[in-house]
Structures are given as structure tokens and as C-alpha cells.
Amino acid sequence: MHILLTGGAGYIGSHTIIELDKAGHSVYVVDNLSNSNPEALRRVAKIIGKEVPFVEADVRDRKAMDALFEANRFDAVIHFAGLKSVGESVAMPLEYYENNMNATFVLLDVMRRHNCKNIIFSSSATVYGEPAVIPITEECPKGHCTNPYGQTKSMLEEVLMDLQRADKAWNVVLLRYFNPIGAHPVGTIGENPNGIPNNLMPYITQTAVGMRKELGVFGDDYDTPDGTGVRDYIHVCDLASGHVAALQAIQKNCGLAIYNLGTGHGYSVLDVVKAFIKVNGVDVPYVIKPRRPGDIATCYCNPAKAKAELGWEAKYGIEEMCRDSWNWQKRNPKGY
Ligand code: NAD
Ligand code: UD1
């Protein structure tokens, strides 16, 4: 299939290009580079041995998107483009709602006018809010999102579901990602956060490489085995291959389909720190800090539906995730 990746220069998109190429699909990337570097695409090109067709444009730019669809016949779109920082979204709600909602509205309108009605949407475990059941299945009711970023994911899921309900020609796959970490094993592409990282793994790797003095562990008094927060970390290459599996569902005219993409294993903050130290033989100094507002104790999924229906399951464990995160960071201490 010929696939348009919006936001394809970003962390998950760049890894997904490689898996799509491996599976025999051709890709085209549109990205406004607001949170990415074109160097990522040059490095992906080296890995796959061919150029990655790319246009620098904003998905909200209807003219540019129209031109793109006029010039290409896409079979499906994987819609990664969006702003994703939780803390920033609390400080800049209007920018988050405006970017994430409008980009999706323009994209969907342009897609239907060009009769491309197959979309995979990057959703998040955040839509479950404080989860009603653990492990989280797709039937688990959505919860209250404590921040505008999460709200945009939850609202866009509703928009996409309404669209598919109104016009059965659409195939809509909502992929709810758990916590992607790691990097491609070659070590030339990876997560490249701007400024001080919000997420756990980039903070660990930047501490290990000496850019940060110590990791703050946000709370050790949760109702979890060691008191620190438990999450379902998934290797970004596994997450990327989940998109290839989702395309197979689209080829079978799945209509609306929702999948959790996680491993089904919960690891605490200290589990991750200890695994990282053990696998990589580097120190990660840490101090216990107060809980981070909006955090929950435990979040991991039941990935059985994706296995049963897509034949997809995560292959990598926490050791590989820690190894590959470090491999990327130590080879690229300043990112791209
Ligand atoms: P990322 O920031 O690395 O990639 C997103 C890309 O979208 C960036 O390259 C950015 O420049 C681009 N972009 C943003 N707004 C755009 C616009 N209006 N037009 C064109 N390009 C635009 O993020 P990522 O980690 O690769 O995440 C990809 C998607 O997955 C996002 O939608 C994110 O919300 C979602 N997601 C990510 C995580 C995670 O932990 N990384 C978890 C759950 C869901
Ligand atoms: C966060 C977002 C979520 C988003 C996801 C992926 C919040 C509240 N949630 O999830 O909406 O979909 O990222 O981008 O921000 N931790 C530390 N020290 C740190 C950083 C994190 O102890 O410096 C802990 C956290 O308290 C948590 C765990 O590590 O228990 C994972 O945190 P993080 O990587 O930020 O992911 P989430 O909070 O699960």
C-alpha cells in the first residue's frame, strides 16, 4: 500500500517508516517539523537504503494537503501529527486544541474529498483516565483526562467514530499506545525531546550520559509493589510493527477497530531504573520526590485483542528497551 504518514519525522513515525518498508509498503511523510528534525528522515533513509519522500507542510494547511493528495494516490493515512507534551498542554490549552483538532479536521476532509477513507490514528492510554480495570482492555470505559493533550485524543477518537458511523466506507483504526521507549537497535534514530524531558526514559538516559544530575522519582507511596508508579513500557519498534498489523485490518475492511498497543507487563519506575543500570552498566543517581500532579498509580494493558485479531504482539522486553534507549543516547548525546 502507499501510505501517508502525518508527523512521520517524529519519534514513533520515523521508526514506523522502517517497519512499513520492511513489510513492502511505500511511504510519504508530511511534517511541519515543529517537534522534529529532518535529519531523522535522512537517517531512516540510510537504514532502509532509499530516500523517504517528504514534504514540509502543516496538516492544517488545506492548500498544501490538497496539493499532496492531488499529486499522490494514498491507500491509507497514519495520523501521528500532533502536539504531545502534557505539561505544555496545561499551560497552552488553546494551542493544543487548535493544532490537534484542526489538523485532524483538515486531514479528514481532504481525505474524503480524494476518496481515501482508511486511517490509523495515534491515540493513547491516557483516554482511560484513572482506569476502571487493570489490566486495561479496550472495553474499559474511557475516563476523565486531566489535561488538554489527553482531551484532544479522547475527542478525536469520538470524531473518528462518528465519521465511521456516518459513512461505512471508512476504515478507522484507533491505536491506544501505552508507554513507548527504546530506539531502533542500530542507534542512529531515537527520541529527541526538546529541553528538559517530561517522560521517564529520556530523563534516565540524559542522567546516565551526564546531562542531568539525578532522576527525580515522582512518589514512592503509591499502592504498588515498591510504591512507585507502574506503567506498560513498549519498545518503539514493536509499536511501529503494530501499525503494519493495523494496515492488514484495514485491507480486510475492518470498519471501526480499537486496539491497545502495549506488552501487558507493568514495570515500576524503580524496576526500570534497576533494569537500565544492570543492562548497561552505567549509574543513574535518583532521589525520591513528591508525586507529580495528574499521575496515576498503575497503568498496563491486556494486549490480547491485538494478538487475536491482528496477530500482533510485542517481542521486546524491558532489557532490550533499556539497551536500545541507551545505545541511542550514548551515540547521540545531543540528539540529532
Ligand atoms: P513527536 O512529537 O516525535 O511526533 C509528532 C510529529 O508531528 C512531530 O514530528 C511534529 O513536528 C509533527 N506535527 C505536529 N503538529 C503538526 C502539524 N500541525 N502539521 C504537521 N506536522 C505536525 O511525537 P511521537 O512521540 O512520535 O508521537 C506521535 C503520535 O503518537 C502523537 O500524536 C502523540 O500524541 C501520540 N502518542 C505518543 C505517545 C508517546 O509516548 N510518544 C504516547 C501516546 C500517543
Ligand atoms: C505520560 C503522560 C501521558 C502520555 C505519555 C506518553 C502524564 C501525566 N501523562 O504518561 O498522557 O500519553 O506520557 O507521552 O504526563 N516519572 C518519574 N520521574 C520522571 C518522569 C516520570 O518518576 O522524571 C514517573 C512517572 O511518575 C510515572 C512513570 O515515571 O510513574 C512514567 O512517566 P512518563 O514517562 O511521564 O509517562 P506517563 O506519566 O505514563
Side-chain angles (χ1 to χ4, degrees):
M1 293 172 97
H2 190 39
I3 316 294
L4 177 67
L5 278 67
T6 73
Y11 172 47
I12 301 171
S14 56
H15 286 83
T16 302
I17 297 169
I18 297 167
E19 298 303 319
L20 290 170
D21 179 71
K22 248 192 243 169
H25 299 291
S26 58
V27 301
Y28 202 113
V29 169
V30 56
D31 198 302
N32 66 2
L33 304 178
S34 59
N35 196 41
S36 50
N37 190 316
E39 178 63 16
L41 295 177
R42 288 193 277 275
R43 294 187 184 188
V44 168
K46 273 208 179 133
I47 296 171
I48 66 174
K50 59 176 88 119
E51 285 306 303
V52 179
F54 165 63
V55 60
E56 182 178 344
D58 196 300
V59 180
R60 290 168 297 175
D61 180 345
R62 190 177 287 273
K63 256 190 162 167
M65 293 303 287
D66 254 326
L68 189 57
F69 275 80
E70 286 294 332
N72 295 273
R73 167 93 201 104
F74 297 117
D75 298 303
V77 175
I78 306 181
H79 183 32
F80 295 108
L83 300 175
K84 65 159 184 177
S85 162
V86 171
E88 195 178 64
S89 81
V90 174
M92 302 164 58
L94 202 51
E95 282 74 10
Y96 268 66
Y97 283 115
E98 201 278 322
N99 187 73
N100 292 2
M101 303 305 294
N102 282 342
T104 309
F105 294 151
V106 170
L107 174 67
L108 293 174
D109 188 39
V110 172
M111 284 176 71
R112 76 173 162 186
R113 279 190 293 104
H114 291 86
N115 204 30
C116 171
K117 295 187 174 179
N118 296 320
I119 186 165
I120 296 175
F121 176 63
S122 296
S123 189
S124 166
T126 195
V127 300
Y128 294 112
E130 178 92 55
V133 288
I134 296 276
I136 304 171
T137 62
E138 291 79 356
E139 282 69 45
C140 178
K142 294 211 289 185
H144 174 67
C145 294
T146 52
N147 59 80
Y149 161 72
Q151 294 276 30
T152 66
K153 290 294 171 196
S154 190
M155 289 160 62
L156 287 169
E157 282 199 355
E158 301 299 321
V159 169
L160 284 156
M161 287 193 269
D162 283 343
L163 181 63
Q164 200 278 332
R165 219 171 274 131
D167 178 357
K168 298 289 182 225
W170 281 90
N171 291 304
V172 169
V173 184
L174 308 178
L175 296 181
R176 294 177 177 158
Y177 308 157
F178 279 68
N179 288 57
I181 59 172
H184 192 281
V186 299
T188 53
I189 61 168
E191 191 171 7
N192 189 33
N194 278 327
I196 301 172
N198 298 303
N199 296 115
L200 179 64
M201 185 52 87
Y203 210 105
I204 290 178
T205 58
Q206 290 194 6
T207 304
V209 87
M211 282 167 76
R212 314 270 160 215
K213 187 168 138 256
E214 61 199 6
L215 169 75
V217 174
F218 298 147
D220 68 348
D221 56 353
Y222 285 106
D223 184 14
T224 61
D226 66 16
T228 66
V230 168
R231 296 292 183 274
D232 189 335
Y233 297 96
I234 173 168
H235 197 291
V236 66
C237 294
D238 276 332
L239 191 70
S241 72
H243 295 76
V244 177
L247 279 179
Q248 287 162 14
I250 281 184
Q251 280 173 312
K252 291 184 199 149
N253 281 320
C254 60
L256 170 70
I258 305 177
Y259 297 104
N260 288 334
L261 293 187
T263 66
H265 300 289
Y267 291 99
S268 74
V269 176
L270 294 181
D271 287 337
V272 177
V273 171
K274 285 176 193 156
F276 188 93
I277 293 171
K278 185 168 164 236
V279 171
N280 297 315
V282 285
D283 197 20
V284 181
Y286 66 85
V287 286
I288 305 297
K289 292 208 171 147
R291 292 181 178 197
R292 181 171 67 178
D295 271 358
I296 55 176
T298 303
C299 177
Y300 61 92
C301 79
N302 177 343
K305 189 180 176 201
K307 185 171 182 194
E309 294 185 10
L310 302 178
W312 171 90
E313 67 184 324
K315 294 198 300 269
Y316 294 106
I318 194 73
E319 287 79 18
E320 286 112 337
M321 298 181 216
C322 290
R323 178 198 66 197
D324 293 337
S325 293
W326 178 234
N327 187 37
W328 153 249
Q329 179 77 65
K330 73 173 183 223
R331 287 166 186 256
N332 305 270
K334 295 193 175 130
Y336 289 113

